[in-house]
Amino acid sequence: SVQCRRIDPADCRRCMDVTRLPVWLNADGTEHGRLQALSCSLDLSVSDLPKATITIRSADEIPSTHDFVEIFTEHGSAGIFRVVSSTYRYGQTCQLQLIGAADTLSDDIWPETAEEATRTVAEWIQLILARQTTVRWQVGSCALNASVKMKVNYSELWAMLEDVKGARPGYRWSYDFSTSPWTLSLVQMPDEISSEFRVTRNVESAQITVSDQQMCNRLVFTVTDGSSDGTPVVTVYDDTASQQKYGIRTRCTDIKTDEIPIGMSAADYARHLLSEHAVPDFAIVINGEDLWKLTGTSIDHFELGYLCRAVLPEYGETIEERVVALSYPNVIQEPHSVRVSLSSELPNITGSVASAKRV
């Protein structure tokens, strides 16, 4: 999620029905000027830094690499980005490639080798951000209550943060650009349905991929004490409803006790994994329109990280999947057009089950 810089409310009212042009920012965050963009594409993801491409006239003043630009959709600020490259076509256009401003954390490294240590996620974030040479980011909230064992060796700070977050389901980075320094938080994605798509309403085309490659409804769950070489405890868990519908799909996984999320028992964690994998994985890519500005109906607004209800008459299914990516082809000329990617994120739910053998 993103919070924008504080701007004049009157300016917001004037732009309610028009997507604001990208704003070129000085190093201190003040406005250098508006970019008279011919086009601006935008790619947002729950698992990667946002990216954008802006095309301007070659005769215009052109931002340098590492300059900052704030980009907007019709819903407001999409965040602050950094220019990473530019392609100049003499007498025609200049194309800018940009990446989310958290990429600045790749400029610094952890400047030493440290012994392997176990700390909470919040403690790791605090320590990593303290290593910035130019302090652009401060610590916000951390919703992930877990411990991480890690050894650092002259690693880039952003890579370390990604390692700390890991492939845990349901969590993503949140950026608040209204503060100084900017604020980085690790938030839990809500299990709320914010949108719905129907072929007869807001969909131009859709691609649906159904896969059972990560499916499991009988889990052979082996737990070993992470602090010793204790005797493994093996338990078998079944989802009988899934077995009756799809047949028995068995997987084995080994896990150490210190890999179990804080506050969960081994049995609770095993049942959680089983429930997440007991049905086929639906991956859906929709080319459609975000109609919220036109209808005022909240279910017409796709929000990154929220759940979306997808009505699939061909499969006789109505499923709820998370919005894992939003791609806007041109927020300037086609502000309503958006490609929405929905997925249950099964390959990323746990490294244990995703890499487990099928038996």
Side-chain angles (χ1 to χ4, degrees):
S1 61
V2 170
Q3 293 188 31
C4 64
R5 299 176 303 119
R6 295 184 178 91
I7 57 178
D8 184 350
D11 198 12
C12 286
R13 287 192 293 272
R14 287 193 298 272
C15 298
M16 282 182 67
D17 298 319
V18 180
T19 300
R20 298 183 72 208
L21 291 171
V23 175
W24 180 0
L25 302 174
N26 296 313
D28 62 0
T30 58
E31 183 174 319
H32 179 88
R34 303 287 178 89
L35 293 178
Q36 299 299 315
L38 302 174
S39 66
C40 176
S41 64
L42 182 63
D43 294 304
L44 308 177
S45 169
V46 299
S47 59
D48 200 3
L49 286 171
K51 298 177 178 63
T53 301
I54 297 176
T55 302
I56 60 177
R57 295 177 181 85
S58 60
D60 294 343
E61 187 179 6
I62 298 172
S64 301
T65 54
H66 282 211
D67 280 354
F68 295 105
V69 176
E70 184 169 14
I71 296 175
F72 301 85
T73 69
E74 62 178 352
H75 302 293
S77 177
I80 293 177
F81 294 69
R82 182 164 71 163
V83 179
V84 293
S85 70
S86 60
T87 302
Y88 184 86
R89 296 178 177 86
Y90 183 76
Q92 300 181 43
T93 60
C94 180
Q95 190 174 81
L96 306 174
Q97 301 293 333
L98 306 95
I99 193 167
D103 183 59
T104 57
L105 291 166
S106 298
D107 296 345
D108 291 313
I109 64 170
W110 186 284
E112 61 188 3
T113 298
E115 294 297 323
E116 187 175 63
T118 300
R119 297 183 175 93
T120 67
V121 171
E123 289 171 341
W124 274 119
I125 295 173
Q126 182 82 44
L127 287 170
I128 292 168
L129 292 186
R131 299 291 181 149
Q132 297 174 87
T133 53
T134 299
V135 181
R136 292 192 175 96
W137 294 94
Q138 63 182 337
V139 179
S141 62
C142 178
L144 181 55
N145 183 20
S147 295
V148 175
K149 181 185 292 185
M150 189 166 67
K151 181 177 181 180
V152 295
N153 183 19
Y154 296 97
S155 305
E156 290 183 359
L157 299 189
W158 180 251
M160 290 182 65
L161 288 166
E162 286 286 77
D163 286 343
V164 167
K165 179 173 73 70
R168 294 174 177 83
Y171 294 90
R172 59 177 297 236
W173 297 110
S174 173
Y175 317 103
D176 184 354
F177 295 104
S178 68
T179 64
S180 181
W182 300 326
T183 301
L184 180 70
S185 298
L186 185 57
V187 300
Q188 186 169 15
M189 291 183 280
D191 290 326
E192 301 173 16
I193 298 173
S194 72
S195 55
E196 180 178 279
F197 91 78
R198 293 177 179 268
V199 175
T200 57
R201 180 176 176 85
N202 53 357
V203 176
E204 296 175 0
S205 64
Q207 175 181 300
I208 303 169
T209 303
V210 185
S211 172
D212 70 350
Q213 293 304 297
Q214 300 298 331
M215 190 173 168
C216 168
N217 51 34
R218 171 171 289 170
L219 180 62
V220 181
F221 193 69
T222 303
V223 181
T224 305
D225 188 341
S227 61
S228 66
D229 296 324
T231 303
V233 177
V234 181
T235 310
V236 177
Y237 296 88
D238 288 288
D239 187 315
T240 55
S242 173
Q243 291 173 3
Q244 291 172 2
K245 185 173 183 178
Y246 300 105
I248 297 177
R249 306 293 183 91
T250 305
R251 285 179 180 269
C252 302
T253 187
D254 300 320
I255 196 166
K256 293 182 171 60
T257 53
D258 59 9
E259 296 174 325
I260 298 172
I262 296 173
M264 294 184 74
S265 67
D268 288 341
Y269 189 45
R271 294 188 185 99
H272 166 74
L273 297 180
L274 191 61
S275 67
E276 293 287 353
H277 291 75
V279 296
D281 178 22
F282 283 82
I284 306 170
V285 178
I286 308 158
N287 290 303
E289 291 191 327
D290 188 319
L291 301 175
W292 175 75
K293 274 280 188 176
L294 302 176
T295 66
T297 304
S298 60
I299 62 169
D300 287 327
H301 176 35
F302 298 106
E303 294 189 73
L304 191 69
Y306 281 74
L307 296 177
C308 175
R309 180 183 294 116
V311 181
L312 307 176
E314 296 87 349
Y315 294 91
E317 296 268 7
T318 297
I319 63 175
E320 298 170 2
E321 300 286 14
R322 196 170 299 282
V323 178
V324 296
L326 294 171
S327 180
Y328 298 88
N330 191 343
V331 297
I332 305 297
Q333 302 294 337
E334 304 171 62
H336 304 311
S337 295
V338 61
R339 169 176 285 192
V340 184
S341 297
L342 309 177
S343 175
S344 54
E345 303 179 280
L346 282 184
N348 296 321
I349 280 182
T350 68
S352 302
V353 170
S355 61
K357 298 180 294 181
R358 175 170 291 177
V359 297

